[in-house]
Amino acid sequence: MSIQLYSNLVPGLLDAPSQIAGAEIQTAKSGPSLAVVGCGYWGSKHIRVGHDLGVRMSMAADMRADRLEYVQSQYPSVAVSRDFDAILNNASVDGVIVATPAATHFQLARAVLQAGKHVLVEKPLAMTSAQCRELIAVAEERKRVLMVGHTFEYHPAVGVMRQMIRSGSLGELHYIDSRRLNLGLYRPDANVLWDLAPHDLSIIFFLLEEMAQSISAWGCAHVLPDVEDVVYAKLGFKSGPTAHVHVSWLDPVKVRQITVVGSDAMLVFDDVEPSEKVRVYQKRFSPRINGDSYADFQSAYHHGDVHIPAISSSEPLKLELLDFVNAITTGGQPRANGAHGLRVVEALEAASECLRLDNKHGSNGFRRRNESAGAPSIVVT
């Protein structure tokens, strides 16, 4: 099943200037004061990174007393509260990092913006594209920064990959293949598509610098009813290349790998590798046809060197947080702005529609056009 996507926010979507320096810099302690909502895996990492950078991390909120006790034990200067309103009502807090379950992102982020504060929302930005558009509108109305936690857009290795694609050193781009696999962790509130694929989609859109025009998806729920734990998705782009995303909670080995195949060279990004994360293979296939028939076709394979580019060891989450702080300070746009969050959620919605229709109707002969106001125009076939 395939869904055609046509975003109504394409103009300017990819033009946000990068505001981050190439090296990590220490932020001034007189800079903006930040608070974190949700002190689980990502929230505690944000507090740690902010502390390492010298950012003023002033408050943390969570409903779980044990998480607040952990924050207090590790970072005594951070005030803690079980009341989210304590952050909203604190006039000294300039920006808020929302690191709570995805279903709460929209409500919390909107409250933060309406309180006149800047917000960084962990991925995905929201659960629907309509919610993303509303957050973008509120941020523009209040003149506040809206940023999404697409950490891989700040990964130095992904930056090197994008530079190589831009420079044309890979030749004509054929396809991108992305695999994000491991055993668990299962989540009752989201399937594997919404849990893992936002990373891959954000990387692919960042590398290609364009929106997907079509999306097809197939998946299975093996363990929990109606919760897909294995999903395959295919994306088509106007410039020609395709992209393939495979996400799974049911694989025995952790895999975090992206392969980019071009006509002149190929590269592999393996994020599980502790070093040498990117390898460039000078391999290509060039068919030779010396006549008019298939019998005259000859294969011509080229096997060249393997190049391992030097890549900065800067922690992506630190670069992300620096971008948030810098956007608050300067009034500029962060790299991973609200529009970047919207394009990923649009793709997740389209893939989810494929999964739903495959389960309900099968993939033959079912057509529907979504005409709701503000939504992307999609055709399901």
Side-chain angles (χ1 to χ4, degrees):
M1 181 170 296
S2 176
I3 291 183
Q4 304 295 322
L5 280 183
Y6 305 97
S7 173
N8 60 359
L9 285 180
V10 171
L13 189 66
L14 300 163
D15 299 330
S18 171
Q19 302 287 345
I20 2 176
E24 290 178 15
I25 58 173
Q26 292 296 320
T27 59
K29 290 186 180 294
S30 60
S33 172
L34 303 184
V36 175
V37 181
C39 301
Y41 177 79
W42 281 107
S44 59
K45 289 184 74 169
H46 278 288
I47 295 173
R48 188 264 303 169
V49 164
H51 182 267
D52 291 347
L53 289 171
V55 175
R56 290 197 298 154
M57 307 298 295
S58 59
M59 289 192 69
D62 199 298
M63 292 294 293
R64 298 163 295 179
D66 61 317
R67 297 309 303 164
L68 297 181
E69 290 172 4
Y70 168 79
V71 171
Q72 277 195 312
S73 68
Q74 298 296 314
Y75 310 99
S77 62
V78 179
V80 299
S81 175
R82 298 184 69 180
D83 184 6
F84 172 57
D85 288 340
I87 289 178
L88 297 183
N89 297 328
N90 188 335
S92 67
V93 172
D94 301 299
V96 179
I97 299 169
V98 175
T100 55
T104 67
H105 286 182
F106 169 69
Q107 181 180 0
L108 295 179
R110 183 176 59 178
V112 170
L113 291 169
Q114 290 176 337
K117 303 181 188 300
H118 308 277
V119 66
L120 164 58
V121 188
E122 268 305 328
K123 57 84 184 171
L125 179 59
M127 296 304 294
T128 70
S129 57
Q131 291 176 345
C132 292
R133 290 187 182 88
E134 182 172 343
L135 291 178
I136 292 170
V138 174
E140 290 177 350
E141 177 188 352
R142 301 298 178 102
K143 294 181 171 54
R144 290 297 179 263
V145 173
L146 171 63
M147 184 172 171
V148 62
H150 289 169
T151 311
F152 280 95
E153 293 191 30
Y154 297 89
H155 199 301
V158 176
V160 168
M161 295 164 65
R162 178 158 131 150
Q163 289 172 4
M164 294 191 68
I165 292 173
R166 275 181 163 183
S167 70
S169 60
L170 301 182
E172 179 185 354
L173 214 60
H174 292 330
Y175 69 86
I176 298 176
D177 188 80
S178 180
R179 298 187 299 150
R180 193 168 298 271
L181 321 171
N182 54 262
L183 188 60
L185 298 166
Y186 271 80
R187 293 176 50 183
D189 61 328
N191 62 13
V192 70
L193 177 73
W194 284 82
D195 182 34
L196 298 183
H199 287 309
D200 305 280
L201 294 171
S202 67
I203 293 171
I204 291 167
F205 294 150
F206 184 67
L207 291 178
L208 296 181
E209 303 181 66
E210 64 176 305
M211 293 281 293
Q213 283 199 313
S214 65
I215 293 179
S216 57
W218 173 89
C220 280
H222 296 92
V223 177
L224 299 179
D226 301 321
V227 179
E228 288 86 1
D229 40 38
V230 179
V231 172
Y232 298 83
K234 179 182 178 181
L235 294 80
F237 294 87
K238 185 177 181 180
S239 60
T242 57
H244 315 94
V245 175
H246 176 196
V247 288
S248 174
W249 285 330
L250 275 180
D251 267 54
V253 178
K254 182 176 181 179
V255 177
R256 300 286 185 268
Q257 194 172 89
I258 294 178
T259 302
V260 182
V261 176
S263 59
D264 295 337
M266 310 169 186
L267 65 80
V268 176
F269 168 44
D270 191 342
D271 199 33
V272 174
E273 286 290 329
S275 61
E276 301 181 355
K277 289 183 178 291
V278 175
R279 291 173 177 260
V280 183
Y281 296 84
Q282 298 299 328
K283 294 184 176 182
R284 59 181 178 269
F285 171 75
S286 303
R288 296 174 182 170
I289 302 177
N290 298 322
D292 297 328
S293 68
Y294 181 78
D296 297 318
F297 174 90
Q298 294 181 345
S299 298
Y301 293 94
H302 172 78
H303 297 277
D305 296 331
V306 178
H307 172 60
I308 302 173
I311 295 175
S312 168
S313 60
S314 298
E315 183 178 356
L317 195 61
K318 288 184 178 180
L319 299 178
E320 176 186 293
L321 187 58
L322 284 173
D323 198 21
F324 183 48
V325 170
N326 193 59
I328 294 174
T329 304
T330 65
Q333 278 285 322
R335 175 182 295 174
N337 57 24
H340 283 212
L342 169 63
R343 66 186 182 185
V344 167
V345 171
E346 281 187 331
L348 291 170
E349 279 185 327
S352 297
E353 182 78 346
C354 287
L355 297 178
R356 185 185 71 82
L357 293 174
D358 275 340
N359 290 336
K360 186 175 182 179
H361 299 284
S363 58
N364 295 321
F366 184 86
R367 295 179 60 86
R368 167 181 172 270
R369 179 173 288 276
N370 184 343
E371 300 290 359
S372 60
S377 178
I378 60 174
V379 180
V380 183
T381 59

